[in-house]
Structure formats: C-alpha cells, structure tokens
Amino acid sequence: MIKREIDKTFVMRIASEEQWYPATVPGSVYGDLLANGVMEDPYWRDNELKALEVMKEDFEYVGVFDGDEAVLNQEKIYLHFNGLDTLADVYLNNTILGSVNNMHREWEFDVTDVIRQNGNELRIIFHSPTRYIEEEYKKEKIGGSEDAMRGFSRLRKAHCMFGWDWGPRLPDAGIWREIYLIGVTGARLNSVSVTQRHEQEGVYLGFKVFLDQIRDNSLIDWEKYDMELKEEGYALRITVTDLTDESSRTVRIFRGKTEEILIENPKLWWPNGYGEQNLYSVLVQLFNGDEEIDSWEKRIGLRTLTVRRSKDKFGESFAHEVNGITFFAMGADYIPEDCILSRCSETRTRDLLNQCKEANFNVIRVWGGGHYPYDSFWDICDELGLVVWQDFMFACANYDLTEEFEENVRREVIDNIRRIRHHPSLGLWCGNNEMEMFTDAGIWESTPRQKADYIKLYEYIIPKILKEEDPQTFYWPASPSSGGSFDNPNDENRGDVHYWDVWHGNKPITEYRKFYFRYVSEFGFQSFPSLKTVETFTEEEDRNIFSYVMEKHQRNSTANGKIMNYMEQTFLYPGDFDTLLYASQLLQAEAIRYGVEHFRRNRGRCMGAIVWQLNDCWPVASWSSIDYCGRWKALHYYEKRFFAPLLLSCEEEGILTQDPNPNAQPYEVMKSIRLCASNESRKDERVTAVWELRKNTGEVVKHSQEEYMLPKLSSLWFEKVSLQEASLYEDYVSFSLEQDGKIVSSGTVLFCPPKHYRFIDPELTVRSEGDSLVVTAKAYARSVEIRNKKDDLLLSDNYFDMNPGERRIRILKGLPEELTVRSVYNIR
C-alpha cells in the first residue's frame, strides 16, 4: 500500500458568495475565515453571536492535486479522510463520491476510475449544521442538555460545539483531519490487534490480523488463511522492538496461522508515579512473495490494566488495577482544547498533558460530549503514564436508534477502537456521559422506545463490538453507573459517581466528608480566570462579574451569583475586581482540596478522584484548573500538592464542621485535629510528621513530632488531638511531612472561616535570586500568590500557606519582572 497526504493548494468560500480564500488543510471554517480577516475573533466580548450566524451558511472547499505516479500504478486507488466535520458532499473531478454525516468517523472512497494523472479537483461542500439540527428538531423534539442548541443530538458532531455550561455555541466545520490518497495492489492490512498474556516466563503477544483482498473486495481473517486455496503468496512478518534497547528484537514470519510471540524479561509499562513508561514497537509487514505491500507499526506497552470490582463490607469496589496492583486514580476530566479546531496542535496538547504530569495526575478522563482525541494525545499519554478513561461520544441527550443511526455509530465505534486500542494508556472504554442517570430519571422525557434503545446501544451493541475488537480493555456502560440496567446509577457504594451537591446543589464544602464514594469521576467548583486572561475578551468597562460580557463568558446559569454565595461563606467581600478573581480561585481550590484530601484519607473504600475539569476551550469562568490561555489557576497548584504521592492532610474539627452561623445560640466549639498520611507509591516510606499550634503571629504554642513507616499504597490515620485551648479566631495549626530532612507535604488549618480569622499583615515581600524566588513573611500568610507583570510565571509552587520566615520557589517558566505578592489578608 502506498499512502500520500493531500494538504496543499486548497481554497474555500462561503457558498452563497463569490469570493474565494486560501484554506489550510487540515483546518476549519472558522480558522480559515479568521486567517483571511473575514470574521472577528469569536472570543472577544459577545462576538460569538456573529460567529454563530456564519454557521447558517454552507461552505465550499476546493483543492487541486496531481496524482502521485506510484499511487496511480496500483491496482486500486482510494481517497481516505481521517475526519470531515460534519455534513458534506464529496466530489472528485465533478463526480460525486458520496455524502458524509459523522465527524467521529473515517471515510474512504474508491476513486480508481475517477482519478487522473494531473489536475485532480477535490471539491467538498459542507452544509450548515445549525440549519440541519433546527430542521430535525421540528420533525421530532428529542431532548438533551438545555445548555446546547435544540436538536444537537441528531448530528454525530461534538455536542459541546453547540454550547455547554462551560462552552459557547460555535459549531465549527471543515476538513478537520488529514486526507490521504492510497494505492493498493493485491491486498492490504485491514486491521491489526495485539493481545497480551502475562505469565511467569514473560509476556505472550497474540496477533489478530485481517486483510482486504482488493480483487473481490473480500475480508480475509489471517487465522483462517489457507495457502493451498490461494494463489497469492501472502506472508506476515512481525517485529517487536524494545524501545529502551533497540538491539533487542523479536522477528516471526508467518505464512499460515500466527503464533504467540514470547517477550522474556519484559519491561512493564506503569502509570505516572508507579514506575517507568517502557514502550515496545510492533511492526507487522505484509508480503506478497518477496515484496512488502503494506505495513502497520505502533508502540505498545506491556501491562495488564483493568478495573477491579469486588464485594466488600461497603458495597462493591471500583478501582483501576495495573500489573496486579490497584491504584488511587488522581486526575481531571478533559474537554476539547479549543472551539476552533484548527488551533489544536500536538505541541499544545503536549504542553497541557505535561502540566498534568507536573501536577501528579495519573488519570485523564476524556469526556463524552466532545470528540475522540487526536493520535498525538494518545502517544503523549503513553509517554507520560496518564491512564485514559475514554468515553464514547454520547452525552446528556436522548437518541433514536434507527437502523441508519445504528450503522453510523457502529462504524464510528469500530473506527475509533481500532485507532486507539493498542495504546498502553487506554484504561477503559465508557459508553456515555450521564445518560443512564438522566434516562433513568426521565430528565428529558425519554419515550419507552428511547429507554429500550439506551439498553440496546450501551449494554448490547457496543459491548458486542468491543468483545470482537478489543476484548482485553474494560468496558463500563456509562458514567456514572453502578454497572448498568438503570440500577441506581449514581450509587455512592458502587461504581463511579458524579457528585454535584457541592456547587450545583449549593451545599457547603464540608458536605464532601459525609460521603465515601468508591470512585468520583466528576465533581467540581467554578472560578474566574486570571485578570490577564479576562483582558483577552473584555473592555475595561466590562470588568464587573455581573456585566453583560462577563455573563456571556459564564455559561452556567446564575453561577456568578453562586460564586458570591460561596464567597460570603468564606472570605471578606473583595474590594476590587482583581481581588475578586483571586478570591474565586481560592474558593475553588479550597473546595476541591477539602474533597480530595477526604477521599484520599479513605483510600481503599474510595479509589478515585477525577476533578471536573482540566482545561477550557475558550476564555471563560469555569471549573477548569488551567484556563484557556494556559495559566494555572490556584487549583492546579493545589492539585500538585494534594495529588502528590506522599500527602499529609488534616481532618479538623471547628466552626465549619459544627454550626457556622455567627448568630447561633452560643455553644462550645469543639476544636481538634486528626492527621492522616497517604502513600500512593509502590514502596514503604519512612517519614516524620510534625504539627504545631500557632498564634496568628506564627508563634508556636504547642508542638508534636513523630516518626512513622508509611506502608505502600495506603493511608495511615494518626490519633485525634483535642485542642480546646486554641483561640478560635487567632490560632491556627500548621503541619508537615518530612523525609530525609525535606518537607514533602504541608498545610495549615483554621478553626473558623477565613473571613472571621484575625489575620495580621504578614508584610509579604518577594525577590528573585537566579532561577528562584524568595518570599518573606513576618506573620502567618495563607494562600500566598506570586505574579509577574504578564502573569505568565510557572512556579514549582504557588498559592501556598506560610509560617513566618522565608520560602524559596523555583521558576519553571517566565521572567521575574515586576513581581507582586499577596495572601488572604489582602481580601478585604
């Protein structure tokens, strides 16, 4: 097989207009219109509305290319599209090849009788997605998320492109993935899957190979291939290379049935924090006689990876298990990186995922309302050790499982399973996002047929496909789920849960401690991005959180008011816009810290905390820990600390855990601490735990220090300590975990809300020394934030608590110019 990419000399136009513009392929309509100055930045103020109007149009793309001689000399020639978004008619040399209707699929057309040597004209007409869903909704009112445009579920297009409670209505379109011209003679590899069998003597690799035989369009199962009945002399050669030692190679040549290949002394692949990410290359070559006619080369990792579910006294466990050990999942939910698809790149994705590793993530959940990530996303996760929970692309909607729809999604599922299944980072497949829960509750008034279709698609059709295409990867029917069949899908004692009583339910953050979920795959808390990010979409007059523009960049109904509700519970009223943004980020970080530390303290019962959400697709107030411009919010620094392998956390008792109402009938506030050390590593660790009761000046009133051996993969509770003598509003507790003379985890707790604590001015200063910053405090300082003028610093730590003294912080990115520093004391 010979393959050539087609990516040059494209032009595009709005179909109703005469003007043509240069186009980039792969790319998108919005990207091309922006590049040619035809439309304004859709992220600026309320320009989203203008950009949405544009999508009422159709668009035409034309590319002219010469036929590659080597390709044209083949027996069959195909035009292959890795991704077309979404409704399009495809023409080559004025011959219609077909129509497409699914951005999540690959599309291929036989052009043997249409292609010519020179001057081939490829023409693609993209039809308006918004007109289509409007017309479909008029035919049948199928329900779905009220944050998206009506009828969105009728189109196999990333649902969030039609709006979500964190994203705008910007349904981009275009040739969003690569186009290839492919020439084939005789046969080609249709699909290759690799299975693993781990035994004491090593890892056995098994291969399932299918061929396309071109002459009669037949599919050949290699295991059933009989040389005596075929004229062609096909043979497979399989080469396995240890990428850490390229001299280690295993080669097998098969003319009939393939046998397993034994990898002795295998180097296993581990998630981040548990071991190395060793990778092997597998090369499968197809020969006809002595001529190689096709090949398939991918990287794999040798590991077992599944989800352990077992009955226990609490219900049923739900935990990732890698190479025989269960680990605590720590990470976040990933959404599409940009509304404008052409702005996504491997460099940008690598930067984002590297920052996940920096924050000690070991899991990424790909949410089901976007699109299946690019190949580079998977390669990077393999390299970084980020286990991927992969939703199929169904979310928050009803669907009618017509024969046409079923066949469409069947091909979509198969295309993506075959593209992704070899990656060692693939941790599980999940049927959908929140549909079992909402269908069960009748949120969108599902018809009896739609409820039946739900079971058919997610509990019969998709699992059946997976049994054939990827039998070794764990499948979970929905998120959240207790295992399917509408059996209490958000049960706290089984499966995974989405917990939103804190935030959507307006419950205080202390509510987290009432639950011991087995695995939390969604929970979150909103904040605003930094001032510099806000400046990218606002005029100065817009910079009030209740302004029209700020509310256009807040897609969760009444959420700005909700932030202020939680602000009232926690901090003094911020005196200016910038301080309010800072305080909102502290609210978010403190809320999620409160939950995650509780879940980690109860490791074994709870085995996963996946925070909603990692990233943004445009500049917006949201649940993200990294904003659209790539700036770390306070939450991401907090995640780096509370996802660290060694964590010391404190379950305090004070006003917030009793009655926070300052006008309640007077009562004796119980004040105590109980420390817990978590060790999420594969070896026992000797540490020293220290806690100190201090005055607001930082003066130590009481001190304790004790040495412990922390067992691997566990949490160790210490004895509860009563501190009734502590001053409710003027004392605090600082604590730290030390190893080999270094502090590896630390924090502080108050016995009252920060707004009532009597902070004194810590007189913070910051100076740069080489590649470090030195912060000085003269008193207790809480949530210390360091910024430079551009607010583009990336530091080894930020938003941290300080006792009086100095703290040295490494600069990872950015220049230490015009530094400022502040703390909770400045929220007033």
Side-chain angles (χ1 to χ4, degrees):
M1 185 180 80
I2 300 174
K3 186 175 181 180
R4 301 286 186 263
E5 185 172 359
I6 298 173
D7 61 356
K8 300 290 191 295
T9 62
F10 274 84
V11 293
M12 63 87 67
R13 67 169 180 164
I14 299 172
S16 63
E17 300 178 4
E18 297 296 323
Q19 180 68 48
W20 289 90
Y21 305 100
T24 300
V25 172
S28 72
V29 166
Y30 282 152
D32 290 329
L33 294 179
L34 283 166
N36 287 284
V38 181
M39 67 180 283
E40 299 175 79
D41 177 5
Y43 299 165
W44 174 251
R45 306 192 83 203
D46 66 348
N47 280 351
E48 168 203 352
L49 300 175
K50 298 176 185 177
L52 181 59
E53 280 294 306
V54 171
M55 276 300 150
K56 292 181 179 179
E57 301 280 352
D58 293 345
F59 306 92
E60 185 173 1
Y61 278 75
V62 174
V64 178
F65 64 95
D66 293 334
D68 182 278
E69 184 175 352
V71 174
L72 295 182
N73 287 335
Q74 302 302 304
E75 191 175 344
K76 286 282 187 180
I77 303 164
Y78 301 94
L79 199 57
H80 186 98
F81 299 87
N82 279 358
L84 294 170
D85 178 20
T86 291
L87 296 166
D89 302 321
V90 182
Y91 297 82
L92 182 65
N93 297 329
N94 292 318
T95 299
I96 188 164
L97 302 181
S99 298
V100 304
N101 61 355
N102 189 332
M103 80 173 289
H104 305 305
R105 280 182 59 179
E106 298 181 18
W107 300 90
E108 187 172 270
F109 303 98
D110 185 342
V111 297
T112 308
D113 298 328
V114 182
I115 194 90
R116 52 189 185 222
Q117 182 71 44
N118 297 304
N120 294 284
E121 182 187 78
L122 173 61
R123 183 161 60 99
I124 305 174
I125 299 174
F126 289 94
H127 300 288
S128 166
T130 56
R131 286 205 322 268
Y132 177 84
I133 64 170
E134 183 179 7
E135 292 165 4
E136 289 296 308
Y137 190 75
K138 288 177 182 176
K139 295 176 188 176
E140 184 180 6
K141 292 179 171 58
I142 294 181
S145 171
E146 62 277 5
D147 295 299
M149 298 176 71
R150 289 185 290 270
F152 73 90
S153 67
R154 300 305 295 270
L155 192 56
R156 293 308 296 154
K157 179 178 175 68
H159 290 344
C160 64
M161 297 174 85
F162 294 106
W164 219 258
D165 60 359
W166 38 258
R169 298 181 183 98
L170 292 173
D172 203 358
I175 306 169
W176 77 297
R177 285 183 173 166
E178 300 82 3
I179 306 173
Y180 292 101
L181 192 64
I182 296 173
V184 182
T185 295
R188 63 173 170 174
L189 295 168
N190 173 283
S191 71
V192 177
S193 67
V194 184
T195 58
Q196 301 181 24
R197 186 163 59 87
H198 290 242
E199 302 292 349
Q200 187 172 358
E201 62 271 24
V203 177
Y204 290 90
L205 299 181
F207 298 88
K208 189 174 183 180
V209 180
F210 284 90
L211 309 183
D212 283 329
Q213 185 158 263
I214 301 305
R215 292 189 180 92
D216 57 6
N217 291 319
S218 63
L219 186 67
I220 301 173
D221 181 346
W222 186 264
E223 296 304 296
K224 300 175 182 177
Y225 180 67
D226 186 341
M227 288 299 301
E228 295 178 359
L229 300 178
K230 299 288 181 182
E231 296 179 1
E232 293 82 356
Y234 296 134
L236 290 180
R237 181 166 72 188
I238 299 177
T239 305
V240 181
T241 304
D242 176 358
L243 294 178
T244 63
D245 179 6
E246 295 188 5
S247 63
S248 174
R249 303 175 68 86
T250 303
V251 179
R252 294 287 188 275
I253 297 178
F254 305 98
R255 291 199 173 273
K257 185 176 180 180
T258 59
E259 299 173 356
E260 290 182 316
I261 293 176
L262 173 62
I263 308 298
E264 298 180 294
N265 302 312
K267 298 173 182 176
L268 298 183
W269 183 93
W270 291 93
N272 180 37
Y274 301 90
E276 298 298 318
Q277 289 75 54
N278 297 301
L279 296 171
Y280 288 73
S281 173
V282 175
L283 173 62
V284 178
Q285 295 166 288
L286 175 64
F287 288 86
N288 190 349
D290 294 329
E291 180 187 4
E292 180 189 313
I293 58 173
D294 200 2
S295 65
W296 179 93
E297 185 169 16
K298 303 293 181 182
R299 296 187 308 181
I300 67 168
L302 305 180
R303 89 289 185 268
T304 61
L305 184 55
T306 187
V307 172
R308 177 182 289 183
R309 299 169 64 201
S310 57
K311 302 292 184 182
D312 57 27
K313 63 181 180 180
F314 305 114
E316 183 180 73
S317 67
F318 190 90
H320 295 289
E321 181 180 275
V322 62
N323 302 326
I325 70 162
T326 54
F327 66 92
F328 192 100
M330 301 182 290
D333 294 277
Y334 169 88
I335 65 170
E337 293 176 44
D338 210 300
C339 297
I340 301 171
L341 299 177
S342 56
R343 290 180 174 173
C344 298
S345 67
E346 179 177 353
T347 300
R348 182 173 171 182
T349 298
R350 183 174 293 277
D351 184 55
L352 178 65
L353 294 176
N354 269 323
Q355 293 176 70
C356 294
K357 183 171 183 176
E358 282 292 318
N360 296 305
F361 286 24
N362 55 38
V363 169
I364 294 288
R365 174 176 172 244
V366 177
W367 171 75
H371 54 74
Y372 303 92
Y374 301 88
D375 290 342
S376 58
F377 170 93
W378 290 94
D379 291 336
I380 297 163
C381 287
D382 292 345
E383 295 166 13
L384 299 181
L386 298 172
V387 172
V388 180
W389 171 312
Q390 175 67 61
D391 283 1
F392 287 104
M393 291 300 119
F394 304 91
C396 300
N398 290 328
Y399 302 90
D400 276 343
L401 192 61
T402 63
E403 287 186 9
E404 180 185 8
F405 183 82
E406 179 182 342
E407 180 56 29
N408 199 358
V409 299
R410 184 187 295 275
R411 286 308 320 168
E412 168 191 322
V413 167
I414 291 172
D415 283 351
N416 285 285
I417 291 171
R418 290 181 177 178
R419 183 171 65 89
I420 293 168
R421 64 189 172 189
H422 64 278
H423 288 280
S425 56
L426 176 60
L428 66 85
W429 295 103
C430 179
N432 64 77
N433 173 75
E434 295 188 337
M435 287 182 48
E436 182 184 4
M437 176 175 68
F438 287 143
T439 302
D440 182 45
I443 298 297
W444 302 301
E445 299 179 355
S446 308
T447 65
R449 178 183 171 182
Q450 286 167 346
K451 291 193 76 169
D453 285 347
Y454 174 90
I455 294 292
K456 185 178 178 183
L457 180 57
Y458 303 109
E459 300 187 21
Y460 178 73
I461 293 173
I462 291 178
K464 190 173 181 180
I465 294 171
L466 281 165
K467 187 176 181 180
E468 179 67 25
E469 298 286 341
D470 190 16
Q472 292 192 316
T473 301
F474 181 84
Y475 175 68
W476 194 236
S479 181
S481 181
S482 298
S485 304
F486 304 123
D487 179 15
N488 194 10
N490 212 24
D491 188 341
E492 69 171 295
N493 295 311
R494 295 178 296 160
D496 74 308
V497 304
H498 292 187
Y499 179 73
W500 285 107
D501 280 355
V502 176
W503 183 257
H504 288 306
N506 291 305
K507 295 289 183 69
I509 65 173
T510 52
E511 200 75 5
Y512 285 121
R513 290 190 187 169
K514 295 181 179 179
F515 300 96
Y516 302 86
F517 305 117
R518 309 317 301 261
Y519 189 115
V520 199
S521 50
E522 269 194 33
F523 67 113
F525 197 101
Q526 269 206 8
S527 72
F528 297 105
S530 76
L531 179 59
K532 285 298 181 184
T533 297
V534 171
E535 288 173 355
T536 67
F537 64 86
T538 60
E539 298 279 11
E540 187 171 355
E541 66 200 57
D542 303 322
R543 291 166 199 159
N544 181 301
I545 67 165
F546 297 119
S547 73
Y548 169 74
V549 169
M550 287 296 291
E551 290 193 339
K552 287 297 289 182
H553 287 252
Q554 166 57 275
R555 307 314 284 236
N556 185 213
S557 178
T558 71
N560 287 356
K562 192 169 293 185
I563 289 173
M564 295 311 296
N565 172 48
Y566 281 104
M567 188 80 68
E568 180 270 334
Q569 298 174 36
T570 311
F571 296 124
L572 295 175
Y573 193 87
D576 60 76
F577 182 69
D578 182 40
T579 302
L580 173 55
L581 303 186
Y582 164 65
S584 80
Q585 292 195 19
L586 297 188
L587 279 175
Q588 177 190 37
E590 286 291 337
I592 301 303
R593 177 196 63 79
Y594 204 87
V596 171
E597 289 184 351
H598 167 69
F599 300 140
R600 285 196 65 182
R601 286 194 289 266
N602 290 279
R603 188 196 193 278
R605 186 171 182 179
C606 180
M607 288 300 289
I610 307 302
V611 179
W612 186 270
Q613 66 204 69
L614 168 62
N615 58 306
D616 286 323
C617 61
W618 74 313
V620 66
S622 80
W623 297 270
S624 69
S625 63
I626 299 177
D627 75 23
Y628 176 73
C629 295
R631 295 184 172 94
W632 286 26
K633 294 182 180 179
L635 174 58
H636 208 72
Y637 283 102
Y638 272 56
E639 286 173 336
K640 184 176 180 179
R641 295 195 291 268
F642 61 60
F643 283 155
L646 292 177
L647 169 70
L648 185 64
S649 65
C650 180
E651 186 178 81
E652 86 293 344
E653 189 177 19
I655 286 179
L656 290 179
T657 61
Q658 293 164 76
D659 189 346
N661 179 6
N663 295 311
Q665 181 171 322
Y667 66 96
E668 183 182 9
V669 178
M670 304 305 296
K671 290 163 285 186
S672 68
I673 61 168
R674 192 181 183 196
L675 296 177
C676 181
S678 302
N679 178 9
E680 196 57 34
S681 73
R682 290 170 55 214
K683 64 176 183 175
D684 298 342
E685 303 281 3
R686 184 168 296 281
V687 296
T688 301
V690 179
W691 66 263
E692 296 158 325
L693 178 64
R694 292 173 177 259
K695 296 184 180 295
N696 55 5
T697 60
E699 178 188 345
V700 176
V701 176
K702 196 172 186 178
H703 169 90
S704 176
Q705 178 173 314
E706 204 160 340
E707 200 172 273
Y708 297 91
M709 178 62 76
L710 296 184
K712 61 186 177 182
L713 304 170
S714 69
S715 289
L716 178 66
W717 284 94
F718 303 161
E719 290 297 319
K720 181 178 178 179
V721 179
S722 175
L723 292 172
Q724 285 302 109
E725 71 273 26
S727 171
L728 195 57
Y729 301 109
E730 294 184 348
D731 288 356
Y732 71 101
V733 173
S734 66
F735 52 88
S736 61
L737 197 67
E738 298 177 4
Q739 188 178 51
D740 299 327
K742 295 181 180 178
I743 295 176
V744 294
S745 180
S746 65
T748 69
V749 292
L750 305 176
F751 298 110
C752 68
K755 65 180 179 179
H756 293 155
Y757 187 77
R758 292 171 190 150
F759 289 100
I760 61 176
D761 187 353
E763 300 180 43
L764 292 169
T765 61
V766 59
R767 67 182 188 274
S768 62
E769 290 185 359
D771 64 353
S772 297
L773 301 177
V774 179
V775 184
T776 303
K778 293 185 178 180
Y780 172 46
R782 188 174 177 89
S783 301
V784 175
E785 179 206 59
I786 309 165
R787 291 188 297 178
N788 64 358
K789 183 179 181 180
K790 294 181 179 179
D791 195 10
D792 63 355
L793 284 175
L794 183 58
L795 303 174
S796 61
D797 201 5
N798 208 349
Y799 302 95
F800 50 83
D801 298 347
M802 273 190 74
N803 297 317
E806 286 192 346
R807 177 89 186 269
R808 185 173 292 269
I809 305 295
R810 285 184 298 110
I811 302 170
L812 305 179
K813 179 182 175 184
L815 298 175
E817 297 174 342
E818 298 186 45
L819 297 171
T820 59
V821 61
R822 60 181 166 180
S823 69
V824 171
Y825 173 81
N826 299 103
I827 302 176
R828 58 186 61 236

mmCIF file of all heavy atoms in Angstrom, residues 12 119 157 193 242 369 406 449 585 595 604 681 722 800:
data_model
loop_
_atom_site.group_PDB
_atom_site.id
_atom_site.type_symbol
_atom_site.label_atom_id
_atom_site.label_comp_id
_atom_site.label_asym_id
_atom_site.label_seq_id
_atom_site.Cartn_x
_atom_site.Cartn_y
_atom_site.Cartn_z
ATOM 1 N N MET A 12 -11.261 28.104 -0.133
ATOM 2 C CA MET A 12 -12.609 27.910 0.394
ATOM 3 C C MET A 12 -13.421 29.187 0.182
ATOM 4 O O MET A 12 -12.866 30.262 -0.052
ATOM 5 C CB MET A 12 -12.574 27.546 1.871
ATOM 6 C CG MET A 12 -11.990 28.585 2.813
ATOM 7 S SD MET A 12 -13.174 29.822 3.431
ATOM 8 C CE MET A 12 -14.236 28.825 4.453
ATOM 9 N N GLY A 119 -3.948 17.513 -12.254
ATOM 10 C CA GLY A 119 -5.050 18.449 -12.120
ATOM 11 C C GLY A 119 -6.330 17.874 -11.575
ATOM 12 O O GLY A 119 -7.421 18.220 -12.034
ATOM 13 N N LYS A 157 -21.762 14.967 15.754
ATOM 14 C CA LYS A 157 -20.803 16.058 15.812
ATOM 15 C C LYS A 157 -20.581 16.335 17.288
ATOM 16 O O LYS A 157 -21.495 16.139 18.105
ATOM 17 C CB LYS A 157 -21.411 17.276 15.104
ATOM 18 C CG LYS A 157 -20.554 18.546 15.083
ATOM 19 C CD LYS A 157 -21.300 19.620 14.288
ATOM 20 C CE LYS A 157 -20.565 20.952 14.315
ATOM 21 N NZ LYS A 157 -19.288 20.922 13.585
ATOM 22 N N SER A 193 -4.771 -6.187 15.630
ATOM 23 C CA SER A 193 -4.892 -6.005 17.078
ATOM 24 C C SER A 193 -3.882 -6.906 17.770
ATOM 25 O O SER A 193 -3.557 -8.000 17.290
ATOM 26 C CB SER A 193 -6.302 -6.309 17.575
ATOM 27 O OG SER A 193 -6.616 -7.672 17.431
ATOM 28 N N ASP A 242 12.186 -3.512 21.639
ATOM 29 C CA ASP A 242 12.202 -2.823 22.924
ATOM 30 C C ASP A 242 12.799 -1.431 22.685
ATOM 31 O O ASP A 242 13.973 -1.302 22.351
ATOM 32 C CB ASP A 242 13.049 -3.626 23.911
ATOM 33 C CG ASP A 242 13.205 -2.939 25.263
ATOM 34 O OD1 ASP A 242 12.687 -1.822 25.433
ATOM 35 O OD2 ASP A 242 13.839 -3.540 26.139
ATOM 36 N N GLY A 369 -18.855 14.376 25.548
ATOM 37 C CA GLY A 369 -19.568 15.365 24.748
ATOM 38 C C GLY A 369 -18.689 16.109 23.769
ATOM 39 O O GLY A 369 -19.139 17.080 23.143
ATOM 40 N N GLU A 406 -27.853 3.443 13.902
ATOM 41 C CA GLU A 406 -27.094 2.315 14.458
ATOM 42 C C GLU A 406 -25.888 1.982 13.591
ATOM 43 O O GLU A 406 -24.779 1.781 14.110
ATOM 44 C CB GLU A 406 -27.988 1.087 14.597
ATOM 45 C CG GLU A 406 -27.246 -0.132 15.141
ATOM 46 C CD GLU A 406 -28.112 -1.371 15.234
ATOM 47 O OE1 GLU A 406 -29.350 -1.246 15.219
ATOM 48 O OE2 GLU A 406 -27.545 -2.484 15.333
ATOM 49 N N ARG A 449 -39.459 3.677 23.927
ATOM 50 C CA ARG A 449 -38.544 3.162 22.904
ATOM 51 C C ARG A 449 -37.129 3.676 23.135
ATOM 52 O O ARG A 449 -36.161 2.933 22.978
ATOM 53 C CB ARG A 449 -39.036 3.576 21.517
ATOM 54 C CG ARG A 449 -38.097 3.101 20.413
ATOM 55 C CD ARG A 449 -38.530 3.577 19.046
ATOM 56 N NE ARG A 449 -37.496 3.275 18.054
ATOM 57 C CZ ARG A 449 -37.580 3.605 16.779
ATOM 58 N NH1 ARG A 449 -38.652 4.237 16.313
ATOM 59 N NH2 ARG A 449 -36.599 3.314 15.940
ATOM 60 N N GLN A 585 -10.619 31.956 42.826
ATOM 61 C CA GLN A 585 -9.732 30.812 42.595
ATOM 62 C C GLN A 585 -9.384 30.099 43.898
ATOM 63 O O GLN A 585 -9.241 28.872 43.929
ATOM 64 C CB GLN A 585 -8.467 31.264 41.869
ATOM 65 C CG GLN A 585 -8.731 31.710 40.441
ATOM 66 C CD GLN A 585 -7.470 31.812 39.609
ATOM 67 O OE1 GLN A 585 -6.425 31.232 39.946
ATOM 68 N NE2 GLN A 585 -7.542 32.540 38.510
ATOM 69 N N GLY A 595 -12.419 18.079 49.413
ATOM 70 C CA GLY A 595 -12.946 16.801 48.965
ATOM 71 C C GLY A 595 -11.871 15.763 48.725
ATOM 72 O O GLY A 595 -11.948 14.636 49.237
ATOM 73 N N GLY A 604 -8.970 2.901 49.687
ATOM 74 C CA GLY A 604 -9.425 1.528 49.882
ATOM 75 C C GLY A 604 -10.925 1.465 49.714
ATOM 76 O O GLY A 604 -11.438 0.678 48.924
ATOM 77 N N SER A 681 2.558 5.238 46.592
ATOM 78 C CA SER A 681 3.729 4.748 45.866
ATOM 79 C C SER A 681 3.865 3.254 46.126
ATOM 80 O O SER A 681 3.181 2.699 46.989
ATOM 81 C CB SER A 681 4.997 5.480 46.317
ATOM 82 O OG SER A 681 5.397 5.049 47.603
ATOM 83 N N SER A 722 -7.148 16.692 70.715
ATOM 84 C CA SER A 722 -8.041 17.770 71.140
ATOM 85 C C SER A 722 -7.229 19.043 71.383
ATOM 86 O O SER A 722 -6.159 18.994 71.995
ATOM 87 C CB SER A 722 -8.781 17.378 72.418
ATOM 88 O OG SER A 722 -9.561 18.459 72.888
ATOM 89 N N PHE A 800 0.404 28.996 48.302
ATOM 90 C CA PHE A 800 0.765 28.148 49.436
ATOM 91 C C PHE A 800 0.629 28.926 50.746
ATOM 92 O O PHE A 800 0.620 30.154 50.766
ATOM 93 C CB PHE A 800 2.205 27.638 49.293
ATOM 94 C CG PHE A 800 3.192 28.719 48.982
ATOM 95 C CD1 PHE A 800 3.739 29.520 49.981
ATOM 96 C CD2 PHE A 800 3.583 28.954 47.664
ATOM 97 C CE1 PHE A 800 4.649 30.529 49.694
ATOM 98 C CE2 PHE A 800 4.497 29.971 47.357
ATOM 99 C CZ PHE A 800 5.023 30.756 48.379
#
